[in-house]
Amino acid sequence: MGKLQGMESVSVVIPAKNGIRTIRKCIDGILAQTIDVEEIVVVDSGSTDGTIEILEQYDEVKLIEIPPKSFDHGDTRNLGVQHASGDYVVLTVQDAWPVNEYWLENMLRGFREDGVVAVCGQQVVPHEPDKNPVQWFRPYTTPEIVTYSFTKEVYEAMSPADKQSVCCWDDVTAMYKRDVLLSLPFRKTPFAEDAWWANDALQAGYTIAYNYNARVFHYHHESKETAFKRNIAEMYSTYRIFKVKPATKGMTIAYYLHILKALLKADSISLADRFKWFRYNVNLQRAAINAASVFNETLQSGETELDHMYVKYCGRA
């Protein structure tokens, strides 16, 4: 492993709670990088499953414990950043781990462009039998680093859809200049602190970059109920940030064919598993369609009703 040119340092911040199944893989993957990290700041909000005991085995981990009720996607990360000492701060999560040892190195490459204050990578799904094969990562090209920067006037004049497209930010794999993150912290929010931050940063005239060579593995298996709630949360946040409404659409032949094509490529799974994953993906799509329908019908009654709908399905707004 090596030091950064110019002796800049990197800290990693991870919010955690009951992550015993994956936290060791996450920490070990970070420590195996070609770039040394200053420390790994873990903000734990009430683990009871042995996660704390695992974290205490690592000298590199700086553990901060907070009450479960105080967790917030924005403020909790701000707390971790305040306790970090690196010139750069990486944000990730307890159930993600680097695809290879070049994750941090690839992230840092994004800062070679003038003025870049933050770099976002890509989360992908590994080829493992307990993970949805339709979502397995299948790269086709080598991505280029893309940067975005606008004057306040230009950014404010952009369409809501265009703003959303340049703010596909993801704190599962993102790196920031710490001084910028301290001066422009995350908003206090129960969801989408990353998209909010990217929007605020571009509006403030900062330059952000995407390098999809900086990849981590990350996956959530969902029931129809959890997929519905996740879609509601994403649609609500997208509307609140960008005023973009979800498209209401039904199941299409093209989607069925997409599922079938992906499953046919997954030649390592059995025929029975292909049927299982086919039903699973159909249910995911139906959950998304149902969420969009509920969202748009509620919005017709006004934004106050939309807030009530969000609280009903996802908790506090």
Side-chain angles (χ1 to χ4, degrees):
M1 294 188 289
K3 294 292 184 182
L4 296 175
Q5 184 177 2
M7 300 303 292
E8 300 98 335
S9 54
V10 174
S11 298
V12 180
V13 171
I14 307 171
K17 183 177 181 180
N18 292 335
I20 194 168
R21 292 181 57 192
T22 55
I23 192 66
R24 191 182 295 279
K25 186 183 292 187
C26 175
I27 300 297
D28 288 346
I30 294 168
L31 296 177
Q33 294 296 295
T34 57
I35 301 296
D36 291 330
V37 296
E38 189 77 7
E39 77 258 303
I40 302 171
V41 180
V42 180
V43 185
D44 187 275
S45 54
S47 288
T48 57
D49 65 346
T51 296
I52 298 294
E53 289 74 14
I54 290 176
L55 292 170
E56 288 174 341
Q57 297 172 15
Y58 292 91
D59 293 336
E60 297 87 352
V61 169
K62 180 187 293 185
L63 179 62
I64 302 164
E65 297 184 67
I66 62 173
K69 288 185 178 180
S70 70
F71 175 82
D72 176 87
H73 278 284
D75 273 355
T76 298
R77 287 174 168 85
N78 288 335
L79 177 64
V81 173
Q82 291 161 13
H83 282 268
S85 59
D87 301 297
Y88 297 90
V89 175
V90 177
L91 270 294
T92 189
V93 291
Q94 65 184 17
D95 56 348
W97 62 97
V99 167
N100 56 40
E101 68 271 31
Y102 303 108
W103 173 51
L104 295 181
E105 191 174 321
N106 283 325
M107 202 88 75
L108 284 162
R109 286 199 177 100
F111 290 94
R112 293 177 179 174
E113 299 290 331
D114 289 342
V116 171
V117 302
V119 178
C120 183
Q122 180 185 31
Q123 58 169 296
V124 299
V125 177
H127 291 223
E128 296 177 357
D130 63 336
K131 296 173 177 60
N132 183 6
V134 173
Q135 298 175 336
W136 284 356
F137 180 53
R138 299 178 176 92
Y140 295 101
T141 59
T142 301
E144 299 290 332
I145 297 173
V146 178
T147 62
Y148 293 106
S149 180
F150 309 95
T151 64
K152 182 179 177 64
E153 294 73 22
V154 169
Y155 187 71
E156 289 182 346
M158 289 168 59
S159 71
D162 285 343
K163 289 180 182 177
Q164 181 190 11
S165 70
V166 298
C167 293
C168 301
W169 206 253
D170 188 357
D171 274 341
V172 172
T173 170
M175 180 182 284
Y176 305 79
K177 288 187 175 180
R178 181 173 175 268
D179 58 347
V180 172
L181 203 48
L182 289 172
S183 64
L184 184 69
F186 298 111
R187 295 189 182 206
K188 182 178 177 63
T189 176
F191 198 78
E193 85 294 332
D194 37 16
W196 269 118
W197 186 88
N199 177 69
D200 290 342
L202 288 174
Q203 194 168 46
Y206 286 115
T207 301
I208 63 175
Y210 293 85
N211 184 6
Y212 289 155
N213 287 305
R215 298 185 176 113
V216 295
F217 287 126
H218 187 236
Y219 176 79
H220 285 164
H221 195 81
E222 297 181 302
S223 66
K224 286 187 291 186
E225 292 75 18
T226 57
F228 172 81
K229 291 178 181 179
R230 174 184 54 77
N231 276 281
I232 288 290
E234 290 177 354
M235 292 169 184
Y236 178 82
S237 298
T238 298
Y239 181 77
R240 282 299 180 203
I241 302 169
F242 306 109
K243 296 300 181 183
V244 173
K245 296 186 291 186
T248 301
K249 56 185 179 181
M251 298 291 289
T252 63
I253 293 176
Y255 182 73
Y256 285 118
L257 292 175
H258 164 71
I259 299 173
L260 290 170
K261 183 179 179 181
L263 292 174
L264 286 173
K265 289 182 177 180
D267 53 11
S268 60
I269 64 174
S270 67
L271 182 61
D273 280 343
R274 286 194 176 99
F275 279 112
K276 178 191 74 174
W277 286 114
F278 181 83
R279 290 193 299 270
Y280 175 81
N281 283 279
V282 168
N283 285 334
L284 287 186
Q285 184 70 355
R286 285 175 176 163
I289 292 169
N290 188 23
S293 178
V294 169
F295 184 96
N296 287 324
E297 287 176 9
T298 304
L299 184 57
Q300 291 178 9
S301 300
E303 294 191 358
T304 299
E305 286 303 310
L306 195 67
D307 292 340
H308 293 160
M309 180 272 297
Y310 179 82
V311 171
K312 174 183 176 180
Y313 292 115
C314 304
R316 65 186 175 91

